[in-house]
């Protein structure tokens, strides 16, 4: 059955798969995760601010993003970002921003909704007494958040944030729909060029599997350590 | 019933023979041996962590053992080829936390085992269920759900559920220790009545009043061992071991 | 912005010649719903089975359940889609593979199987959690009245576990529905794919995607409403 398969094609395309594809995937994951966590934290604070003008839009944003398929959101931003760019710069035509920027904006904004739910749970889990204690020593709201609440929430939620980042890592493969060359895109291009779909897709699956299982094992180990300290 | 010396009728309903059990490296039962004969009421007591709950759960193999043997009505619990569900159906069990099935109404709780295990018809199971509810004084509640009853009522339903299977022996695992004090009496009353009707019973409990009233024998456990296995009068009047004396003085002090 | 808004575009005939753009989107919607429902049947039954395996006392059963979950959760859905579509037919004995590839609506069947197996791993985790949150005594009580292991699950553990996990199961159902859009990569003409082709044919980016967005939001709303209705209906009297 496997006699006509040629895994040599995998070997010869390794530099392209990792040097171009995987570097793209990891860059996109890292940037979108950082941006998503920061934006997500802001959204979470808005939702918990008790000010309706901030809380309601934040809630709508989160529920909106969570109701849409990521593929649709990718298409949306792919066509929307040039118009946003035009509006922001006052240019006369939609400006071309490049697929990478568009993907980065998409993933950051999309994942922020999911990160914000994690951060919201994290902030809510900090006992009320912590806020009272911080304010009792004279810290302002902003200082309380920055120096007391958020660091604790962030540390407690770190395993969940990282798990969501692994999901994000897998989700980045969907940039395939706007023809970007991430790891899967690279594998796919080689597969089509050489007519070696079986070998390339099996290899890609194996690599994703190894990376994700390794990463989630590490997260689980971290989780155990966080649980002990708490 | 209690006037007859149970040792004389001498047919062991439950025979526990030198059993030991480990959780990993921790030994929780150490060479326990005792018997319950037909019609006998045996109370098992001891400090918490002494292994008494574990011991009673080994009788219907809810807890496996690593050494020794148990027979119920002559059937080896650990023997290969023993049909455990069939055996368990004949051994009624009442749990500390009632363990009624929360998604089923009271009458359905009583019917589930009858229909699915004994294969009784729905009508038959329903009739028997209602009769038993009457016996524990809860006929009016048959269509309520467990969450709508008090703890004492739930435990009486649990006893009725066990009885609905026509058990040859009843096991009670601390049946009153999760109850508010004012509800202990109603449950004990049902158990006392059951004992007086001649039901063979093995009861893990701290209720020494219950033991005095209906027990034939008392088994005292500590650290996984059976320290004392005596008639009721001997146990209360002249406990031999120091550990049993300490336990009794603590528990009878208030 | 110099964008030509044209909300009447939905009533223009689509270049496919079989109706308007609105018809095109609706046909996409029906594929989305059909794929979501069919794959959910697989996901729910297989997921329940795998979830149960992970709660059985048998080490072997637990290991099989864990391996399944790890395998299907750690490969991106899109890659799984390609594996089912391009790779599986090649690995089957020759005639089967050819038969599979020539099946009409191959992309629909592939999407159903792929999503079913993928979502099953998520359902399994929920079912396992649901069973594990039940008091340990429930299993014992079922066993003690003589129910077999299967009967204990069927009449005691699962009915309670499903009640506990209804809200997260609803999310998984919606995730599964949203994930049907990934199947556009293997040629399934579902809602997102139809919105995309409408945008290409008509150049009305915003109208096309807005329509798809509104439809997805509407479905979410309906599913969430139905689910909370169901939750009230199956709620046990007297439980918190």
């Amino acid at each position: 059955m496997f006699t006509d398969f040629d895994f040599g094609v995998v070997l010869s395309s390794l530099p392209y798969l990792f040097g171009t594809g995987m570097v793209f995937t990891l860059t996109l994951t890292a940037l979108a995760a950082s941006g998503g966590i920061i934006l997500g934290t802001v959204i979470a604070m808005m939702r918990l601010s008790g000010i309706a003008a901030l809380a309601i839009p934040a809630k709508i944003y989160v529920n909106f993003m969570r109701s849409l398929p990521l593929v649709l959101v990718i298409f949306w931003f792919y066509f929307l970002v040039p118009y946003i760019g035009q509006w922001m710069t006052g240019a006369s035509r939609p400006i071309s921003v490049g697929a990478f920027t568009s993907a980065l904006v998409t993933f950051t904004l999309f994942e922020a909704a999911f990160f914000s739910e994690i951060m919201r749970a994290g902030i809510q889990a900090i006992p009320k007494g912590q806020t009272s204690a911080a304010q009792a020593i004279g810290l302002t709201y902003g200082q309380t958040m920055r120096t007391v609440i958020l660091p604790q929430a962030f540390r407690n939620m770190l395993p969940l944030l990282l798990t969501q980042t692994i999901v994000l890592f897998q989700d980045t493969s969907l940039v395939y729909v706007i023809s970007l060359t991430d790891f899967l895109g690279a594998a796919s291009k080689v597969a089509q060029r050489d007519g070696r779909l079986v070998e390339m897709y099996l290899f890609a699956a194996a690599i994703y599997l190894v990376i994700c299982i390794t990463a989630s094992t590490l997260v689980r180990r971290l989780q155990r350590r966080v649980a002990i300290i708490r | 019933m209690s006037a007859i010396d149970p040792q004389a009728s001498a047919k062991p309903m439950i025979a526990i023979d030198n059993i030991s059990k480990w959780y990993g490296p921790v030994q929780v039962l150490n060479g326990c041996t005792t018997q319950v004969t037909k019609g006998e009421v045996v109370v098992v007591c001891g400090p918490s962590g002494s292994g008494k709950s574990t011991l009673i759960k080994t009788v219907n193999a809810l807890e496996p053992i690593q050494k020794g043997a148990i027979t119920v009505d002559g059937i080896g619990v650990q023997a290969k080829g023993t049909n455990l569900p069939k055996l368990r159906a004949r051994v009624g069990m009442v749990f500390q936390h009632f363990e009624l099935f929360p998604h089923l109404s009271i009458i359905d709780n009583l019917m589930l085992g009858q229909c699915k295990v004994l294969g009784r018809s729905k009508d038959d199971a329903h009739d028997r269920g209602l009769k038993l509810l009457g016996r524990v004084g809860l006929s009016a509640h048959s269509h309520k759900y467990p969450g709508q009853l008090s703890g004492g009522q739930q435990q009486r339903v649990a006893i009725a559920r066990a009885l609905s299977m026509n058990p040859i022996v009843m096991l009670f695992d601390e049946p009153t220790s999760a109850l508010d004090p004012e509800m202990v009496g109603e449950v004990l009353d049902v158990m006392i009545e059951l004992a007086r009707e001649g039901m063979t019973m093995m009861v893990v409990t701290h209720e020494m009043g219950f033991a005095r009233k209906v027990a034939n024998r008392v088994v005292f456990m500590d650290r996984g061992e059976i320290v004392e296995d005596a008639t009721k009068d001997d146990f209360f009047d002249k406990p031999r071991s120091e550990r049993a004396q300490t336990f009794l003085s603590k528990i009878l002090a208030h | 912005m110099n964008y030509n808004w044209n909300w009447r575009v939905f009533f223009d005939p689509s270049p496919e010649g079989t109706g308007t753009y609105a018809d095109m989107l609706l046909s996409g919607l029906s594929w989305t719903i059909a794929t979501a429902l069919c794959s959910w049947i697989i996901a729910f039954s297989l997921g329940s089975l795998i979830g149960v395996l992970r709660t059985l006392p048998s080490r072997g059963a637990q290991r099989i359940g864990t391996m399944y979950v790890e395998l299907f959760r750690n490969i991106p859905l899109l890659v799984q889609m390609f594996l089912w579509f391009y790779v599986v037919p090649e690995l089957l004995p020759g005639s089967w593979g050819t038969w599979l590839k020539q099946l009409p609506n191959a992309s629909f069947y592939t999407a159903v199987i792929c999503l079913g197996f993928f979502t099953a791993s998520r359902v399994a985790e929920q079912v396992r959690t649901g069973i594990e949150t039940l008091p340990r005594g429930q299993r014992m009580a079922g066993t003690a009245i003589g129910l077999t292991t299967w009967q204990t699950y069927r009449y005691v553990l699962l009915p309670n576990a499903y009640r506990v996990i209804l809200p997260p199961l609803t999310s998984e159902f919606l995730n599964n529905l949203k994930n049907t859009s990934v199947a556009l990569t293997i040629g399934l003409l579902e809602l997102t794919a139809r919105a995309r082709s409408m945008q290409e044919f008509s150049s009305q980016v915003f109208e096309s995607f807005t329509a798809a967005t509104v439809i997805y939001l509407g479905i979410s709303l309906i599913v969430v409403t139905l689910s909370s209705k169901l939750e009230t209906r199956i709620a046990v009297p007297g439980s918190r």
Side-chain angles (χ1 to χ4, degrees):
Chain A
M1 197 166 75
F2 274 96
T3 44
D4 347 325
F5 294 151
D6 170 19
F7 284 91
V9 65
V10 173
L11 215 61
S12 60
S13 57
L14 281 182
Y16 175 62
L17 288 179
F18 286 91
T20 307
M22 191 50 89
V23 167
F24 178 99
T25 296
L26 291 176
T27 314
L28 181 57
T29 304
L31 291 179
S34 325
I37 289 173
I38 294 170
L39 184 58
T41 306
V42 173
I43 295 171
M45 284 165 64
M46 284 168 67
R47 283 195 75 172
L48 295 171
S49 65
I51 303 164
L54 295 176
I56 292 172
K59 188 179 172 187
I60 291 175
Y61 178 83
V62 170
N63 288 338
F64 183 75
M65 281 300 186
R66 300 208 316 167
S67 310
L68 295 183
L70 178 52
V71 177
L72 180 65
V73 179
I74 292 174
F75 283 144
W76 252 126
F77 281 101
Y78 186 63
F79 295 103
L80 196 62
V81 168
Y83 286 96
I84 297 175
Q86 177 196 13
W87 172 70
M88 281 186 1
T89 58
S92 58
R93 308 178 46 104
I95 51 173
S96 112
V97 289
F100 180 78
T101 315
S102 145
L104 180 57
V105 172
T106 309
F107 279 95
T108 305
L109 293 179
F110 186 77
E111 295 294 333
F114 293 83
F115 284 123
S116 87
E117 288 294 273
I118 297 172
M119 285 310 291
R120 185 165 70 109
I123 296 171
Q124 278 177 321
I126 305 295
K128 284 267 174 291
Q130 290 288 306
T131 315
S132 312
Q135 285 167 345
I137 60 168
L139 297 183
T140 65
Y141 173 79
Q143 288 170 324
T144 305
M145 271 294 168
R146 232 178 14 255
T147 60
V148 179
I149 307 297
L150 286 182
Q152 294 188 58
F154 188 79
R155 211 198 54 194
N156 294 343
M157 289 294 128
L158 191 58
L160 285 182
L161 293 172
L162 290 174
T163 303
Q164 183 63 33
T165 304
I166 298 174
V167 173
L168 166 62
F169 170 71
Q170 295 189 25
D171 281 348
T172 56
S173 62
L174 290 174
V175 297
Y176 175 89
V177 301
I178 49 174
S179 308
L180 281 172
T181 309
D182 70 322
F183 180 66
L184 179 63
S188 187
K189 275 173 192 162
V190 176
Q192 310 281 353
R193 186 194 65 199
D194 298 351
R196 291 289 172 191
L197 279 73
V198 175
E199 294 86 340
M200 292 312 291
Y201 287 142
L202 279 177
F203 178 70
I207 294 299
Y208 275 114
L209 188 64
V210 168
I211 293 180
C212 293
I213 286 191
T214 312
S216 39
T217 308
L218 292 177
V219 170
R220 225 169 290 149
R221 209 170 288 170
L222 176 79
Q223 193 161 23
R224 235 170 283 144
R225 194 154 354 134
V226 172
I228 292 166
I229 299 169
R230 228 188 299 173
Chain B
M1 264 324 232
S2 51
I4 305 166
D5 180 8
Q7 303 294 340
S9 58
K11 187 191 171 204
M13 189 62 90
I14 301 173
I16 298 174
D17 183 17
N18 198 20
I19 65 165
S20 295
K21 177 180 173 65
W22 287 263
Y23 283 126
V26 185
Q27 185 162 16
V28 286
L29 291 178
N30 183 6
C32 298
T33 301
T34 188
Q35 290 194 345
V36 182
T37 41
K38 195 166 188 303
E40 203 180 16
V41 175
V42 173
V43 162
V44 182
C45 62
S48 61
S50 60
K52 52 195 193 303
S53 280
T54 310
L55 178 75
I56 201 170
K57 282 183 187 134
T58 61
V59 172
N60 57 354
L62 288 181
E63 295 281 4
I65 55 174
Q66 281 80 40
K67 257 176 74 180
I70 300 175
T71 59
V72 174
D73 199 25
I75 299 164
V77 174
Q78 278 74 33
K80 285 225 163 84
T82 294
N83 183 335
L84 272 181
K86 217 168 182 179
L87 178 73
R88 285 172 178 140
R90 303 172 66 205
V91 178
M93 180 147 204
V94 175
F95 296 86
Q96 182 178 3
H97 295 284
F98 335 133
E99 304 300 351
L100 295 179
F101 305 130
H103 62 299
L104 299 178
S105 67
I106 299 305
I107 189 70
D108 285 341
N109 261 280
L110 268 67
M111 287 167 64
L112 181 65
Q114 295 190 66
C115 294
K116 300 299 171 194
V117 180
L118 302 181
R120 285 180 186 155
S121 73
K122 284 208 161 168
D123 290 343
D124 188 17
H126 191 266
D127 289 350
R128 288 170 190 258
L130 275 188
K131 235 170 254 163
L132 283 167
L133 279 181
R135 235 177 104 182
V136 298
L138 292 169
S139 307
H141 300 282
S142 69
H143 288 288
K144 288 191 179 165
Y145 283 81
Q148 296 169 305
L149 301 188
S150 73
Q153 291 171 325
Q154 289 192 51
Q155 195 60 301
R156 280 145 67 200
V157 173
I159 295 174
R161 177 175 70 182
L163 291 174
S164 75
M165 307 294 287
N166 296 85
I168 52 172
V169 55
M170 287 280 285
L171 309 174
F172 291 83
D173 181 14
E174 305 207 32
T176 56
S177 59
L179 294 175
D180 291 335
E182 74 270 21
M183 293 173 185
V184 171
E186 61 189 82
V187 171
L188 288 181
D189 287 346
V190 172
M191 291 168 61
I192 290 167
E193 200 191 310
L194 203 56
R196 295 209 164 124
E197 284 166 12
M199 175 61 77
T200 311
M201 291 163 65
M202 188 167 176
V203 185
V204 173
T205 186
H206 291 267
E207 296 293 336
M208 289 303 126
F210 171 82
R212 276 187 193 279
K213 234 179 241 166
V214 293
N216 301 104
R217 278 181 22 249
V218 178
V219 169
F220 174 74
M221 290 185 72
D222 192 19
R223 288 174 227 159
E225 291 173 11
I226 292 181
V227 179
E228 220 159 311
D229 185 347
T231 64
K232 169 182 63 178
D233 295 335
D234 280 355
F235 180 75
F236 284 113
D237 299 341
K238 36 186 193 282
R240 278 170 293 125
S241 68
E242 200 178 306
R243 284 189 269 179
Q245 288 163 14
T246 324
F247 175 76
L248 273 176
S249 66
K250 270 187 196 156
I251 210 157
L252 297 177
H254 41 241
Chain C
M1 281 199 304
N2 49 356
Y3 179 81
N4 298 316
W5 294 94
N6 176 16
W7 289 101
R8 304 183 55 94
V9 64
F10 296 112
F11 303 105
D12 293 349
S14 78
E16 286 179 339
T18 51
T20 60
Y21 282 119
D23 295 331
M24 198 164 115
L25 290 180
L26 286 179
S27 120
L29 172 62
S30 50
W31 279 113
T32 292
I33 292 175
T35 312
L37 290 180
C38 293
S39 56
W40 181 253
I41 293 170
I42 299 178
F44 184 76
S45 13
L46 183 61
S48 298
L49 177 73
I50 303 285
V52 165
L53 282 185
R54 293 194 74 179
T55 63
L56 287 175
S58 145
R59 275 283 168 80
Q62 287 177 18
R63 203 162 299 154
I64 293 173
T66 310
M67 270 168 52
Y68 182 93
V69 172
E70 292 291 320
L71 182 66
F72 283 89
R73 271 170 59 129
N74 285 305
I75 298 177
L77 176 59
L78 180 57
V79 178
Q80 293 188 31
M81 206 61 92
F82 286 168
L83 289 181
W84 286 105
F85 195 69
Y86 297 115
V87 178
V88 170
E90 301 296 330
L91 298 184
L92 290 173
S95 54
W96 292 27
T98 325
W99 173 79
L100 254 176
K101 278 186 275 188
Q102 288 167 353
L103 216 58
N105 295 327
S107 59
F108 169 70
Y109 296 116
T110 309
V112 165
I113 302 234
C114 175
L115 285 168
F117 278 69
F118 176 79
T119 308
S121 67
R122 282 143 202 282
V123 172
E125 283 301 87
Q126 302 296 350
V127 169
R128 176 175 72 101
T129 317
I131 292 172
E132 281 173 355
T133 51
L134 301 178
R136 214 168 79 92
Q138 285 285 302
R139 183 194 295 266
M140 282 197 177
T143 311
I145 61 167
L147 297 178
T148 59
T149 305
W150 153 246
Q151 285 175 323
T152 306
Y153 274 94
R154 164 72 183 78
Y155 297 110
V156 178
L157 299 179
L158 284 176
N160 282 304
Y162 284 137
R163 281 182 171 82
V164 175
I165 62 170
L166 182 61
L169 270 191
T170 307
S171 310
E172 289 306 341
F173 180 83
L174 283 173
N175 284 339
N176 183 60
L177 188 132
K178 288 184 283 171
N179 281 337
T180 56
S181 61
V182 175
L184 66 80
T185 55
I186 56 166
L188 183 70
L189 296 178
E190 47 67 64
L191 182 56
T192 303
R194 298 316 253 168
R196 175 88 166 95
S197 18
M198 174 177 168
Q199 169 264 322
E200 276 184 339
F201 292 139
S202 70
S203 303
Q204 299 295 332
V205 185
F206 294 94
E207 292 84 344
S208 313
F209 290 148
T210 302
T213 302
V214 169
I215 294 174
Y216 280 115
L217 291 179
I219 298 176
S220 282
L221 206 65
I222 292 170
V223 171
V224 169
T225 314
L226 287 179
S227 161
S228 65
K229 280 233 170 76
L230 181 65
E231 201 176 349
T232 337
R233 240 187 79 187
I234 62 170
V236 175
S239 60
R240 295 134 277 132

